[in-house]
Amino acid sequence: MLYHKFSLGDSRTLIAELYEDEIITFCPTCGKEHQLEPEEIADIINRGSDFVGTSYFCNGCYIKVVK
Ligand SMILES: [Zn+2]
């Protein structure tokens, strides 16, 4: 079992069970939610990228960016 551990900003710490189908991101343009597949998470790690610096555009916004 993996867990997500984070500070609530004071002395409290929250620890939550982490399931692979609960890892999401939001399109930086329109805010649409995207659930990350395990392969996408592995790709971020394999490229040496960090989670904070990684963005996933939804299909509609990606087409606008590429044009
Ligand atoms: Zn979008």
Side-chain angles (χ1 to χ4, degrees):
M1 173 60 73
L2 299 178
Y3 298 88
H4 185 192
K5 176 182 175 184
F6 53 97
S7 171
L8 295 175
D10 48 28
S11 60
R12 293 179 298 167
T13 300
L14 184 62
I15 297 175
E17 295 174 346
L18 180 62
Y19 295 91
E20 54 275 7
D21 64 344
E22 294 177 340
I23 299 173
I24 61 163
T25 187
F26 297 97
C27 173
T29 300
C30 71
K32 183 178 179 181
E33 183 178 312
H34 171 71
Q35 181 180 322
L36 288 176
E37 298 297 330
E39 298 79 25
E40 293 173 312
I41 297 166
D43 185 53
I44 295 169
I45 295 168
N46 289 336
R47 284 187 284 114
S49 302
D50 59 22
F51 291 161
V52 172
T54 301
S55 298
Y56 280 89
F57 290 90
C58 71
N59 287 338
C61 293
Y62 178 76
I63 290 169
K64 291 175 190 170
V65 168
V66 170
K67 281 185 179 176

